[in-house]
Amino acid sequence: MYKKGSLVNVGLGMTLGAHITPISRSFIEKADVVFVAASDSLIVDWVKTMNTDVRALDVYYKEGTSRAITYEKAINAIMNEVRNGKQVCGAFYGHPGVFSWAPHRLVEIAKEEGFVAHMEPGISAEDCLYSDIGIDPGDVGCSHYGATQFMCHEIDYSESAYLVLWQVSLSGDQSLKKFSTNPTYRQLLVDKLLEKYPEKHKVILYECAVLPIDKPRIDTFKLINLSDQQVSIKTTLIIPPINNRVVCKKIIEKLAKLDSLC
């Protein structure tokens, strides 16, 4: 038997008003209370047109405060309303489950405590990236990492696929207390990438459009110049492949034998 309260985390999409799905809009409209996580006050104001009780989660974000503490406060605020028996909707910029730890944790906690809880997808920055840059991830492959995650771990990745690094402005931040790091940190990222890519390899900084009248940022330049570029929390680094894929002759031969038996 489920308890009275409920939780649904929905995606608002990336472009204001254009990407939200009908079912996500319906959950926002019917909720007793809506919590919004968005990087722009315009998005919060837009959500307020759909519900009379909308609360922005950005009040918990402060420079110098660990995001772990921020997430804990936001989770507690949301779960308190669920435990009070309300139908709660978390409205998250983009996709609620992409580079967003708290929505996943919220659904886990709510289910563990006996409440109905689930997540509705939204259009993410990754979806926009494929369209705006013209990348088919099924063509040569595509690997995605957080910039700091990529820097701080020994990751076996292939230069024959696209490499996409998220949150470049936070490159090297292990404290979870900063909103950005300086070019010296990004230079460490460049140094690591130069172990596999040439200095003059063309890379792309990408930011999707927030407003329907905006255009996406698509800046192409040499890898060696990355640390000098202007970046924000929305900026994603895309590194095109440099090597052709090597055919696995062993598997090709085995497949040929299987085909001959059919």
Side-chain angles (χ1 to χ4, degrees), residues 63-237:
E63 184 88 28
T65 298
S66 170
R67 286 190 292 281
I69 296 174
T70 297
Y71 298 153
E72 182 180 355
K73 289 181 178 179
I75 287 172
N76 287 338
I78 294 171
M79 283 306 304
N80 283 341
E81 296 299 334
V82 175
R83 292 170 186 136
N84 287 334
K86 294 184 179 180
Q87 290 184 317
V88 180
C89 179
F92 294 85
Y93 183 55
H95 189 301
V98 176
F99 276 88
S100 190
W101 175 81
H104 286 289
R105 184 59 186 140
L106 276 162
V107 171
E108 290 175 359
I109 293 173
K111 286 183 175 180
E112 288 170 359
E113 295 186 12
F115 298 102
V116 173
H118 76 285
M119 185 181 292
E120 289 291 338
I123 294 177
S124 69
E126 179 185 351
D127 301 310
C128 297
L129 180 155
Y130 293 141
S131 297
D132 292 335
I133 306 297
I135 295 175
D136 180 355
D139 183 13
V140 296
C142 194
S143 297
H144 295 259
Y145 302 97
T148 300
Q149 175 194 27
F150 177 81
M151 291 172 66
C152 297
H153 294 83
E154 295 293 340
I155 295 174
D156 186 15
Y157 65 98
S158 173
E159 312 96 294
S160 65
Y162 282 93
L163 177 62
V164 180
L165 300 180
W166 299 87
Q167 298 180 334
V168 178
S169 66
L170 292 172
S171 294
D173 174 35
Q174 299 183 81
S175 69
L176 300 179
K177 295 181 179 181
K178 300 176 181 178
F179 287 169
S180 64
T181 55
N182 63 47
T184 306
Y185 285 79
R186 288 196 296 281
Q187 185 58 47
L188 293 179
L189 172 60
V190 173
D191 293 342
K192 182 166 184 176
L193 290 169
L194 289 175
E195 295 174 5
K196 287 196 174 186
Y197 298 95
E199 291 184 354
K200 294 183 179 180
H201 185 57
K202 294 295 183 66
V203 300
I204 303 166
L205 284 181
Y206 170 75
E207 296 175 12
C208 62
V210 176
L211 299 176
I213 60 173
D214 291 341
K215 292 183 178 180
R217 174 189 179 183
I218 305 174
D219 291 341
T220 303
F221 52 90
K222 297 174 183 177
L223 172 60
I224 193 66
N225 297 325
L226 171 61
S227 62
D228 299 327
Q229 306 300 311
Q230 292 293 321
V231 295
S232 73
I233 193 65
K234 301 175 183 178
T235 311
T236 301
L237 175 64

Side-chain angles (χ1 to χ4, degrees), residues 11-22 25 28 42-47 49-50 93-94 123 209-213:
L12 297 172
M14 302 304 296
T15 302
L16 180 65
H19 288 169
I20 190 170
T21 62
R25 178 185 288 273
I28 291 173
L42 286 175
I43 297 174
V44 178
D45 291 340
W46 169 61
V47 175
T49 66
M50 294 180 263
Y93 183 55
I123 294 177
V210 176
L211 299 176
I213 60 173

